Amino acid sequence: MPVVEVTDAARDRIRDLLEKDGKLATHGLRLKVVGGGCSGLRYELAFDDRVGDADTTLTAGDVRVIVDEKSALYLVGTTLDFVDTLQESGFKMRNPNAKSTCGCGESFGA
């Protein structure tokens, strides 16, 4: 089972953002779990050009997603999606390891 599955919509949005900044060839999206938020843990997304020895790198087409070893424990089986509707727009995580989530969807408990 992959650590994170990236939907086509998420891959396309990541590619668009990296191309806009001229970083598609050099950077990937780092997906990290950090302490905080109303449920205890929250997701952090940032572009990064460094890959550590303990990092897992996933590829979705020409896009890289980088996950550190600690975060991978919380993310195994997670689907990273991107939605853009009248009601919401942004990256969404479907994490089977989340035992609880906050109302805004920004944090989770494991």
Side-chain angles (χ1 to χ4, degrees), residues 6-105:
V6 180
T7 67
D8 292 346
R11 179 203 61 219
D12 293 347
R13 182 63 177 153
I14 296 165
R15 180 189 313 111
D16 291 347
L17 292 169
L18 285 169
E19 283 180 335
K20 180 181 172 188
D21 289 343
K23 297 179 178 179
L24 182 60
T26 59
H27 288 65
L29 177 73
R30 181 168 292 276
L31 174 55
K32 192 171 187 176
V33 174
V34 296
C38 47
S39 293
L41 299 168
R42 65 181 176 81
Y43 303 107
E44 189 173 273
L45 302 169
F47 294 127
D48 197 347
D49 63 346
R50 296 178 313 267
V51 178
D53 292 337
D55 289 342
T56 298
T57 303
L58 312 150
T59 56
D62 55 351
V63 168
R64 293 182 299 150
V65 176
I66 307 160
V67 180
D68 65 88
E69 186 175 34
K70 180 181 169 190
S71 297
L73 298 173
Y74 296 103
L75 295 172
V76 172
T78 295
T79 300
L80 173 63
D81 195 11
F82 182 79
V83 296
D84 190 12
T85 67
L86 289 173
Q87 293 181 318
E88 62 183 338
S89 181
F91 289 101
K92 296 290 179 185
M93 310 292 173
R94 289 192 301 270
N95 186 343
N97 306 301
K99 303 290 187 237
S100 62
T101 58
C102 68
C104 66

